[in-house]
Amino acid sequence: MKKTNLYEAIFKRKSIRKYDVTPLDENTLTEVLEYIGAIKPMYDNVKTEMKLISQNEVKGLMAIKAPHYIVVSSEKKKGYLTNAGFMLQQMDLFLSANGIGSCWLGMAKPTKKVFINSELEFVIVLAIGRAIEPLYRENIMEFKRKPLAQISNITGMDQLLKPAGLAPSGTNNQPWFFTGNEDAIHAYCVKTNIIKALIYERMNKIDMGIAICHLWIAAEHFGKKVDFICDKEISSNPPSGHYYVTTLKMT
Ligand SMILES: Cc1cc2nc3c(=O)[nH]c(=O)nc-3n(C[C@H](O)[C@H](O)[C@H](O)COP(=O)(O)O)c2cc1C
């Protein structure tokens, strides 16, 4: 274990839905727990928690049986769903880089006793375990994703936008759009109608954190330092049908 080149994992990871349900060995689980402590938040001021739980501690609509799940809970503050997506995607990539399968589960929930004494709100679950299907995509063409021209109007920055576009999302919805230039990338999320909002509004915010995580990893890979800021002027003028999420200020 312990491969931490998350950038490389972006180009080969995939959701794993078939697991060997034998529990992972103690060393591996210890390293997963250690990595939880190394995960970076997007927003420092939002308290979050990640727990490793077992199969009998998860319920809900899921055909996906895995030996373990990571469950994220968070303080309910502005940006908390996006922050949780940003954080858990680091784990998704870390696991993939280290030969362990994972899959985000939007329909699963932990049992009540998991958060019995917690004031934090449950956000999402990630199934994890040994894959009994191919762990990686062999070719970038295997990703079913929107073309770059549909997710951004920025030219000449494919090395950052391409990894963002490869991010996983609930039902592969890919709700993101990016504008800006080499100093700052602005991230927006597609607006949903009232009916779709019931399913997608929450999920889309988590998806945004996942794509922003890929963008951040790629920017750091190419030697940039990223700060997440709110650009007041940009935020009041989003592209039609979208709302503003954040700006990645790059130096
Ligand atoms: C927030 C979120 C929720 C998801 N929920 C489920 C789920 O409940 N069941 C499932 O099989 N896959 C789920 N997925 C996985 C997506 O279907 C998958 O990421 C997407 O189709 C892209 O495929 P890939 O991850 O293999 O690249 C979810 C993904 C995200 C990001």
Side-chain angles (χ1 to χ4, degrees):
M1 282 274 282
K2 275 285 171 67
K3 292 207 180 98
T4 52
N5 188 335
L6 305 190
Y7 176 77
E8 278 176 10
I10 289 176
F11 300 91
K12 54 181 190 171
R13 65 150 296 285
K14 68 180 180 74
S15 293
I16 297 300
R17 297 189 173 85
K18 289 189 189 134
Y19 293 93
D20 174 351
V21 290
T22 317
L24 294 168
D25 63 78
E26 281 301 316
N27 277 349
T28 304
L29 291 176
T30 304
E31 288 184 9
V32 170
L33 289 173
E34 275 172 16
Y35 190 69
I36 288 178
I39 287 176
K40 304 241 173 24
M42 208 175 136
Y43 304 122
D44 287 330
N45 64 341
V46 184
K47 198 167 153 195
T48 53
E49 191 178 77
M50 280 190 203
K51 277 189 182 172
L52 186 63
I53 61 172
S54 55
Q55 206 180 88
N56 59 10
E57 292 175 298
V58 180
K59 58 178 183 171
L61 272 177
M62 39 153 225
I64 296 179
K65 286 224 173 307
H68 311 279
Y69 301 83
I70 293 174
V71 48
V72 185
S73 57
S74 173
E75 194 180 0
K76 211 171 161 184
K77 263 189 180 168
K78 192 173 186 297
Y80 77 106
L81 294 171
T82 303
N83 186 56
F86 180 88
M87 292 180 76
L88 194 56
Q89 185 56 12
Q90 292 166 59
M91 178 57 84
D92 177 81
L93 294 170
F94 173 77
L95 293 167
S96 182
N98 287 286
I100 297 170
S102 61
C103 187
W104 288 80
L105 292 180
M107 307 301 266
K109 270 193 172 153
T111 55
K112 273 205 179 111
K113 74 175 196 329
V114 174
F115 289 118
I116 201 146
N117 283 323
S118 176
E119 74 284 14
L120 304 181
E121 186 187 270
F122 160 68
V123 179
I124 191 115
V125 174
L126 187 76
I128 78 167
R130 295 257 168 244
I132 49 172
E133 61 172 294
L135 185 62
Y136 301 122
R137 294 192 162 102
E138 289 184 3
N139 190 310
I140 203 164
M141 303 298 281
E142 289 175 28
F143 282 86
K144 293 195 178 82
R145 296 295 191 269
K146 292 178 182 170
L148 277 193
Q150 264 181 44
I151 65 158
S152 180
N153 58 9
I154 309 173
T155 51
M157 290 186 64
D158 291 9
Q159 59 183 15
L160 302 191
L161 295 166
K162 189 89 197 157
L166 295 179
S169 54
T171 64
N172 207 19
N173 202 24
Q174 306 165 65
W176 38 76
F177 193 80
F178 303 100
T179 67
N181 54 44
E182 58 190 25
D183 300 324
I185 295 183
H186 315 295
Y188 309 87
C189 183
V190 78
K191 281 185 188 163
T192 49
N193 63 35
I194 292 174
I195 301 161
K196 279 190 171 174
L198 286 171
I199 309 170
Y200 288 111
E201 196 165 273
R202 203 170 179 281
M203 200 88 88
N204 282 353
K205 290 188 161 76
I206 298 174
D207 294 340
M208 287 305 300
I210 300 174
I212 290 165
C213 173
H214 280 203
L215 203 50
W216 165 71
I217 288 169
E220 294 223 323
H221 175 81
F222 289 105
K224 303 212 179 238
K225 186 186 169 298
V226 178
D227 288 308
F228 298 100
I229 61 153
C230 174
D231 185 320
K232 284 249 159 64
E233 208 179 307
I234 293 285
S235 72
S236 59
N237 192 20
S240 158
H242 292 76
Y243 65 88
Y244 174 79
V245 177
T246 194
T247 294
L248 288 87
K249 190 112 193 89
M250 296 177 293
T251 46

